[in-house]
Amino acid sequence: MTQNNAFELNRRTVMKLGVGAAAAATAGVNLSSEKALANNPAKSQSPALGARLSRAEGPLKVSGQARYAIEQKLENMAYGVTVQSTRPAGRIVSIDTSAAKALPGVVDVYTPQNALKLNKPTVYSKGGGATEEFTPLQDDVIRFNGMHIALVVAETFEQAMEAASLLKVEYEAGDAIVDFNDPKAKSQPIDAMAAAWGDAATALANAEVKVDVTYTTSREYNVPMEPHACIASWDNGKMTVWEPSQWVGGARRVVSDWLGIDIEDVRVISPYVGGGFGSKIGAHPHVGLACAASRKLGRPVKVSLTRPQTFTGLGGRPATRQNLSIGATKEGKIVSIVHESWNETAIDELHVEACNNVTKIMYATPNLSSRLNVVPVHTVQPGWKRAPGENPSAYALECAIDELAYALEMDPITLRLANWADIDPSSKLPWTTRQLREAYAAGADAIGWWKRNPKPRSMREGRELIGFGMASGAYPMLRTASEAKIVFHVSGQIEVLSGGTDIGTGTYTILAQTAADVLGVPAETVAVRLGDTILPRSALAGGSQQANNLTGAVDRAAKNARAALLSLAATDPKSPLAASKVTELTLENGRVRPTRRPSGGISIADLLKAVGRNTLEVEGNTFAPGASEEMKNGADRSFAQMKASLEGGVSAHSWCAQFVEVRVDEDFGTIRVKRMVAAFDSGRIFNPKLAESQWIGGMIMGLGQTLLEEGHVDQRDGRTVNANFADYAVPVNADVPGVQVISVGIPDFQASALGGKGVGEIGVVGVAPAIGNAVFHATGKRVRSLPITLEKLA
C-alpha cells in the first residue's frame, strides 16, 4: 500500500471513529449539560454563571486606576536595591561598601559581613509555603551567578541604584557546573516519581516498529509584565507586605518563617497581579530582604528587582532532556514505552520537572518504564512555569508519536485513536470525563486536517513550504478546600470576600457571577474583594485550581447567605415578613417575597434597615464536615490539603488537541505560524470569554517556547547573557497568527463542585509538539530541540 493510500484509509477510519462521535457529542452538548446539571444539587446554569462577561477590573487597569502592590504610597518609605553575584561558584572574601555608604541618602548597606537576620523558610515539599530554601546574606557561599549578595537601602531609588554600582566585591573562585551538559555534572535519580508496569525493555526489544529519540528544551523564564517587587512595613511587632502574589497564605507563612514571628503578626496584600505564570506562587528571597530591612530600620522598604534581575532572582522552567523509545506492532498498537528524563536543579536544592506526567497516562500500553533524574548545577533554583511537567512531557511524547505515525504510514490522529486509553493506564482508575475524541474531531475539522497532503514537503505556496501538525495534551485536576464570605450591606451592596488572588485570569468576575447566580441578582451588582490574608482562607492561584476552588466556596457561602437572609426575614420580629415561614419565601432580583406572590416583597437593603442591621455576613467553605482549624490553615498556608487528580478513586484531567499550520521560507528557513486551532475539554465553563482568553494566552506562550525563548548561559562564568526583553524574545503581535479555540467539555461533577476543570495551564500543553510536527511536515526535517530556529533547519 502506498503512503498516500494508507493515509487515505486512516483518514476514513478517523472520520468514522472520531468525527462521527464528535458530531453526535457536539449536537448533544447543551442537552448533556442540562441533564448533568439537573441531576446535580448545584444550581442550574443561569445567565449569570456561564455568561460571556468582560473582566470586572478591566476598566480600572486600562485607565490606570488599579493600584498594584508596589504602587502603594507609604510615609517615610526607603528604597532597596539588591546586588547580585558576578561569579557562579566560590565564596565572598569581602565587599567594600565605603564608597556606597559615603553617598548622600544612603541609609545602610547589608552584606554577609553586615547581615540582616533571616531564618531559612520551610519549602512546600516539607509542609511549608516556600519555593526555595536559599536565604540571602546568611553565609559567604556563592551558589550561582546572579545570586543576591547585598542590599543597598537609600532614601530614593536612584540613590540606591548608584550606591549599588559602587560596591567592590572580592571573590574566591570555585569550581562551577554551569549547565547539565557539563562533563562534571552528575545526575541523581528520583525513584519516588518513577513509573513502571509490565516488561517494557523486553517488549521494546521485540517490537516490530520502533522509534528511539531524544528531545531537549532550553531554560525558559516566566517574564511577567509586572516585575517582582514588594513593599514591607514593620509596625509595632507586626509585618505588612504588599506583594504581587499568587498565594498570599503561602507568602504569609514564608514571611513568618524568615522573621521568626507568629504568623498572625503577618499580613500579605496582593490586590492585583500583573502576570505570574507560576513565578509568583512563592515569596522569593528579595521579599525576605525587604522584610528584614524594614524591621531593622523601623520604616517601610520597597525592593524592586530590575528586569535583568528577574532572570536570576527567581527560577523559571529548567532545561530538560528526554530519551523516549516507543515500540509498536505494524498495525499501530503501542506495545512499550521506555522513557527517561533529566532536568537541571540548583546545586544544593531539589526541583523536579515531572516529565512523565503526560507520558504515563495518554495512551494504552501494556508495558511502560519511566525514570526521572535531576542534575545539580550552579543556577538559581528552578521554579514553576505554566504547566510544569506536563509541558515538556507532552512535547517529547507527542513528537515521538508523530514520528511513529510516519514510520507506520498512519495518520497521527488514527494512531492516537488506535491506542485510546479507556481508563488511566498508570493508576488503572476510570476517567471522570475525557472528551478527547471530540477534541480531535473538532480541531481537525476546523483546521482542515483531512484536506492536507500528508506527505512531508509536499505542500507549498511560492517559496513557502506549508506544514500541518497536531498534538494532544493533558493537565491534572488539582483541588484544595477553601472559604468565602458573603456580606449584605444596608446600602444594598453585596460583597464576596476571599483571600484568593486574581492573577489576570478573571477571578473577580467569575466569583461575582457565582454569587449572582445563587442570589438571583445581576453580576454587576456584586463587588468582590480579593488578595488579602485578613480575608477568608484560600489556596494558591496555581495548578489550574483556583477557579474551581473558589467558585465552589462562593457557591456554598451564597447558598448559606440566601438561607440566612430568608430566615432573618421570617423570624425577626421587626421584619415585615415575620409572619411567614422560611419555606414560603423566595429571594429573587434582590428582593425577598412570598413565593405565592409574583412580585413585590422587600429589598435586601430595606430588610436590613427594618431589622436594625448594617450588615449580614455569612460564610461558606468546601471543607469536609468537622474539618479542624489546623486543616483549614494547612489548606491556606501549605499544600497539605491539596487533592491530586486521583482523589475519590477516579482520574480527573483537562484535555486538549492542538493543531497548527506553519509556513517555512524555503530560502531563509524562517518559520511563521499561520494558524492555530485547539479544542479543549475543561469541563463546565464559568465564563467562555475568560476561558477562551486563558486558552489563547497559553497557546501564544507555547508559540514563544517553540520558536523564540531560550536562556543563553555564558559557559565561562554562568551568566545569563540575554536577561532582558531585547535579547530574550517573547511573542509580540506580529508573531501571533489567527487563533481559534473550541470548547468540547461537559460538566464534570466528579472533578469539582460546580463541574469545571482546569483552564489556565492546559492551553500551553501540546503547542510545542504541534508546531514541531508541522515544521517536519513542511520541510521533511525533524528538529528535536527547542526552540526551533532557522539554524537548526539549515
Side-chain angles (χ1 to χ4, degrees):
M1 181 181 292
T2 66
Q3 187 179 51
N4 283 344
N5 287 340
F7 272 111
E8 175 60 24
L9 176 60
N10 292 327
R11 184 189 77 83
R12 291 197 299 267
T13 303
V14 164
M15 290 290 285
K16 181 178 180 181
L17 295 177
V19 175
T26 301
V29 163
N30 292 337
L31 179 62
S32 299
S33 301
E34 290 169 5
K35 286 181 178 177
L37 288 162
N39 293 330
N40 190 275
K43 181 179 173 63
S44 296
Q45 194 161 335
S46 78
L49 194 61
R52 299 180 65 89
L53 300 185
S54 296
R55 280 171 30 187
E57 83 287 6
L60 296 176
K61 290 180 175 178
V62 300
S63 62
Q65 297 179 67
R67 184 172 289 183
Y68 286 76
I70 65 162
E71 295 179 318
Q72 311 303 313
K73 300 184 184 301
L74 278 66
E75 290 186 9
N76 197 32
M77 186 156 62
Y79 296 80
V81 169
T82 69
V83 177
Q84 297 182 312
S85 167
T86 58
R87 302 290 190 274
R91 56 179 290 270
I92 299 169
V93 175
S94 66
I95 299 179
D96 183 351
T97 64
S98 57
K101 287 185 175 181
L103 285 180
V106 173
V107 176
D108 208 343
V109 179
Y110 303 104
T111 69
Q113 290 77 40
N114 177 35
L116 293 163
K117 173 59 178 173
L118 288 170
N119 302 316
K120 184 175 290 188
T122 305
V123 293
Y124 69 92
S125 59
K126 299 177 182 178
T131 53
E132 64 253 277
E133 288 186 326
F134 167 62
T135 310
L137 311 191
Q138 304 310 298
D139 59 37
D140 61 4
V141 177
I142 299 297
R143 295 166 175 83
F144 56 93
N145 191 315
M147 186 187 92
H148 301 310
I149 59 172
L151 177 73
V152 178
V153 181
E155 298 295 340
T156 70
F157 176 71
E158 291 77 12
Q159 290 170 334
M161 285 289 289
E162 183 181 2
S165 71
L166 298 179
L167 297 190
K168 296 179 180 179
V169 184
E170 181 183 350
Y171 299 96
E172 179 183 291
D175 194 14
I177 302 171
V178 298
D179 63 33
F180 69 179
N181 295 314
D182 192 309
K184 301 187 296 295
K186 304 296 182 184
S187 66
Q188 301 173 3
I190 307 298
D191 295 332
M193 298 180 69
W197 59 84
D199 187 346
T202 300
L204 180 66
N206 295 330
E208 296 174 314
V209 182
K210 305 171 191 175
V211 295
D212 186 5
V213 290
T214 298
Y215 283 89
T216 63
T217 65
S218 301
R219 288 186 191 176
E220 302 165 34
Y221 301 95
N222 300 62
V223 291
M225 184 178 295
E226 176 195 31
H228 292 70
C230 71
I231 297 172
S233 181
W234 178 263
D235 186 23
N236 292 323
K238 297 181 183 294
M239 177 60 69
T240 301
V241 182
W242 287 265
E243 154 83 344
S245 175
Q246 295 179 234
W247 185 23
V248 293
R252 185 188 193 196
R253 167 71 187 274
V254 176
V255 172
S256 168
D257 288 348
W258 277 327
L259 299 182
I261 61 177
D262 192 284
I263 196 169
E264 299 301 327
D265 292 330
V266 178
R267 180 181 179 187
V268 177
I269 305 171
S270 184
Y272 303 101
V273 180
F277 318 115
S279 72
K280 292 175 181 172
I281 291 176
H284 296 293
H286 67 277
V287 181
L289 291 174
C291 291
S294 177
R295 178 166 65 174
K296 180 95 170 180
L297 298 172
R299 60 189 292 193
V301 175
K302 178 190 289 190
V303 174
S304 303
L305 298 185
T306 65
R307 181 61 67 184
Q309 287 177 334
T310 64
F311 284 73
T312 54
L314 54 129
R317 199 191 311 277
T320 71
R321 180 173 67 248
Q322 297 181 69
N323 293 345
L324 187 59
S325 300
I326 304 178
T329 67
K330 292 179 180 178
E331 293 73 33
K333 284 288 186 180
I334 296 173
V335 297
S336 180
I337 297 176
V338 177
H339 170 261
E340 187 165 13
S341 74
W342 295 261
N343 71 260
E344 301 173 315
T345 190
I347 198 68
D348 55 1
E349 295 196 56
L350 178 64
H351 173 89
V352 182
E353 191 77 10
C355 290
N356 62 359
N357 280 1
V358 175
T359 316
K360 64 188 179 183
I361 68 166
M362 187 59 71
Y363 302 109
T365 177
N367 304 283
L368 179 141
S369 171
S370 177
R371 296 183 297 175
L372 306 183
N373 303 271
V374 297
V375 183
V377 301
H378 286 91
T379 181
V380 62
Q381 170 72 339
W384 294 307
K385 186 181 180 186
R386 205 171 197 160
E390 283 73 19
N391 178 300
S393 178
Y395 167 59
L397 176 67
E398 292 298 288
C399 285
I401 289 291
D402 196 70
E403 296 202 43
L404 180 62
Y406 277 97
L408 290 164
E409 298 189 344
M410 288 181 72
D411 180 86
I413 298 179
T414 307
L415 177 61
R416 287 168 169 81
L417 289 171
N419 292 281
W420 179 265
D422 288 319
I423 61 171
D424 183 335
S426 178
S427 67
K428 307 302 186 285
L429 294 175
W431 308 115
T432 54
T433 54
R434 195 186 197 219
Q435 298 289 104
L436 188 54
R437 284 194 181 101
E438 291 75 9
Y440 289 148
D445 182 63
I447 204 164
W449 180 259
W450 306 115
K451 298 176 182 177
R452 82 199 195 290
N453 184 336
K455 185 178 179 180
R457 207 179 176 90
S458 63
M459 300 176 68
R460 66 168 59 235
E461 184 176 342
R463 301 299 294 172
E464 286 188 328
L465 302 174
I466 301 172
F468 285 75
M470 63 82 55
S472 314
Y475 193 82
M477 186 66 196
L478 305 178
R479 290 146 287 191
T480 309
S482 296
E483 300 173 327
K485 180 183 287 187
I486 301 291
V487 183
F488 296 113
H489 291 270
V490 72
S491 64
Q493 183 185 48
I494 301 172
E495 270 193 309
V496 175
L497 309 182
S498 168
T501 57
D502 190 326
I503 58 175
T505 52
T507 307
Y508 280 108
T509 309
I510 63 169
L511 297 192
Q513 290 178 265
T514 304
D517 196 48
V518 175
L519 299 175
V521 298
E524 294 79 3
T525 66
V526 180
V528 179
R529 287 177 57 198
L530 297 172
D532 192 329
T533 51
I534 67 170
L535 299 176
R537 291 167 286 200
S538 167
L540 70 158
S544 284
Q545 61 175 306
Q546 182 173 255
N548 291 301
N549 290 344
L550 294 188
T551 54
V554 170
D555 180 75
R556 293 273 183 93
K559 288 174 178 173
N560 292 346
R562 183 178 61 192
L565 196 67
L566 296 179
S567 176
L568 182 69
T571 61
D572 192 295
K574 301 175 187 176
S575 167
L577 300 172
S580 305
K581 295 180 180 179
V582 172
T583 55
E584 297 173 345
L585 297 179
T586 296
L587 173 63
E588 187 176 62
N589 296 323
R591 302 182 71 83
V592 179
R593 61 174 174 81
T595 306
R596 65 181 182 274
R597 295 182 184 175
S599 61
I602 185 171
S603 70
I604 296 172
D606 288 342
L607 175 61
L608 292 178
K609 290 175 185 175
V611 300
R613 299 187 62 159
N614 290 322
T615 62
L616 175 62
E617 301 185 11
V618 184
E619 295 183 347
N621 65 70
T622 53
F623 288 96
S628 65
E629 284 298 298
E630 182 181 1
M631 293 173 65
K632 293 177 181 179
N633 286 333
D636 177 60
R637 305 164 186 175
S638 73
F639 291 175
Q641 298 298 314
M642 187 182 296
K643 308 300 183 185
S645 59
L646 305 182
E647 181 72 15
V650 290
S651 185
H653 300 261
S654 296
W655 305 95
C656 71
Q658 304 271 3
F659 293 81
V660 298
E661 177 191 343
V662 302
R663 303 293 179 101
V664 181
D665 188 289
E666 189 173 23
D667 298 313
F668 298 105
T670 52
I671 304 166
R672 302 288 293 184
V673 177
K674 184 72 172 179
R675 287 189 295 158
M676 303 180 79
V677 174
F680 296 97
D681 171 13
S682 290
R684 180 186 183 186
I685 302 302
F686 303 135
N687 182 318
K689 188 173 188 177
L690 303 185
E692 290 162 9
S693 177
Q694 283 297 294
W695 289 330
I696 291 169
M699 293 165 71
I700 294 170
M701 183 174 283
L703 186 155
Q705 173 193 29
T706 311
L707 300 180
L708 299 170
E709 298 183 48
E710 179 178 14
H712 292 286
V713 178
D714 191 323
Q715 296 298 305
R716 298 168 299 177
D717 60 11
R719 180 173 67 95
T720 303
V721 298
N722 60 333
N724 55 72
F725 275 159
D727 300 310
Y728 185 81
V730 295
V732 297
N733 286 353
D735 298 307
V736 179
V739 181
Q740 180 182 356
V741 292
I742 305 163
S743 174
V744 297
I746 59 175
D748 188 340
F749 295 108
Q750 291 180 287
S752 71
L754 300 188
K757 297 195 291 186
V759 170
E761 317 262 354
I762 189 66
V764 75
V765 182
V767 175
I771 295 175
N773 295 339
V775 169
F776 172 76
H777 180 227
T779 66
K781 183 166 184 177
R782 185 71 68 173
V783 179
R784 299 188 179 94
S785 65
L786 296 183
I788 301 172
T789 59
L790 58 87
E791 295 87 356
K792 296 174 183 177
L793 283 174

